Amino acid sequence: MAVHICSSCGHSEHLFGEGGGTRIAEQFGVDLLGALPLSMMIREQVDGGMPTVVAEPDSQITMIYRDMARRLAAELSLKNSQAAAAPTISFSDD
């Protein structure tokens, strides 16, 4: 959770500081996939059984989730293509 978004006026505020996720990702040598807002709407929708990507498919928060999913899929695809080929296993009656 990167930033709080006021449910009344939409003002955003970094309650926990700014850039912490980026610093931790750099420290551990991993990519930062994204940063979600601390939003009451996310909690309410999930608690109601309608995640934001279903409840509001065109919302800014949904776009963040989708971007994070794309980054993760790309990262996994890259790792998979760089992985050593699996050994060939064969059986014989010798």
Side-chain angles (χ1 to χ4, degrees):
M1 300 296 171
V3 63
H4 172 259
I5 299 174
C6 178
S7 58
S8 296
C9 69
H11 172 75
S12 62
E13 188 170 15
H14 295 274
L15 298 177
F16 308 110
E18 193 171 354
T22 301
R23 285 192 300 278
I24 290 172
E26 289 172 356
Q27 178 183 348
F28 289 98
V30 297
D31 292 331
L32 178 66
L33 297 177
L36 288 168
L38 181 61
S39 170
M40 183 68 76
M41 181 183 70
I42 294 172
R43 187 202 50 88
E44 290 170 345
Q45 289 170 337
V46 171
D47 285 353
M50 287 287 271
T52 304
V53 296
V54 174
E56 296 186 37
D58 297 323
S59 72
Q60 182 180 2
I61 292 173
T62 294
M63 297 306 133
I64 295 170
Y65 275 116
R66 288 184 179 176
D67 185 55
M68 290 171 61
R70 281 188 202 100
R71 289 174 186 257
L72 179 59
E75 191 69 28
L76 290 174
S77 177
L78 182 61
K79 297 258 188 236
N80 188 40
S81 68
Q82 293 174 345
T88 302
I89 300 173
S90 61
F91 298 91
S92 66
D93 290 333
D94 294 344

